[in-house]
């Protein structure tokens, strides 16, 4: 359950990979290879478990403020998948004009 992230240690709440799994998002898009997986532990099982259950984007609010304010890749992906994830943005990303420009350019059809 992604809501368990609220009870995780500060270190785990600051881990982008953990936040993605809690929200139900693969750490890497399907078919994309992450070099860390070659040198680190095999995370395939966790990626599959994360995407098999119902997505829980609202648990992003339990991720650390530092992660929500500085991990541009995580927040771009979260907003693209679940527009209301923008409510959980923290500074400095929340006030970043270049970041919002990227958000709007993610989907040419909808502008979001």
């Amino acid at each position: 359950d992604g809501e368990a992230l609220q009870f995780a240690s500060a270190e785990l709440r600051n881990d982008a990979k953990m936040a993605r799994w809690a929200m139900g998002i693969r750490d890497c898009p399907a078919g994309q290879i992450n070099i860390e997986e070659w040198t680190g532990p095999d995370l395939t099982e966790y990626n599959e478990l994360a995407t098999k259950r119902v997505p829980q984007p609202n648990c992003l609010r339990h991720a650390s403020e530092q992660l929500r304010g500085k991990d541009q890749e995580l927040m771009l992906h979260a907003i693209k998948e679940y527009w209301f994830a923008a409510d959980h943005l923290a500074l400095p990303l929340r006030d970043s004009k270049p970041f919002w420009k990227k958000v709007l350019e993610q989907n040419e059809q909808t502008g979001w």
Side-chain angles (χ1 to χ4, degrees), residues 17 34-44:
K17 201 173 287 195
N34 183 349
I35 193 67
E36 289 179 13
E37 291 181 7
W38 288 357
T39 58
D42 181 13
L43 303 174
T44 307

Side-chain angles (χ1 to χ4, degrees), residues 12-72:
L12 287 177
R13 288 193 328 258
N14 199 36
D15 186 323
K17 201 173 287 195
M18 184 65 68
R20 283 184 181 87
W21 287 336
M23 291 188 322
I25 299 173
R26 291 180 68 83
D27 182 44
C28 286
Q32 183 178 352
I33 297 172
N34 183 349
I35 193 67
E36 289 179 13
E37 291 181 7
W38 288 357
T39 58
D42 181 13
L43 303 174
T44 307
E45 177 184 0
Y46 297 103
N47 274 328
E48 290 174 5
L49 286 171
T51 55
K52 282 183 182 177
R53 61 184 175 72
V54 176
Q56 294 180 291
N58 212 24
C59 70
L60 181 60
R61 71 184 187 276
H62 302 304
S64 73
E65 188 171 335
Q66 178 181 354
L67 187 64
R68 293 180 287 122
K70 293 186 178 176
D71 193 328
Q72 182 171 315

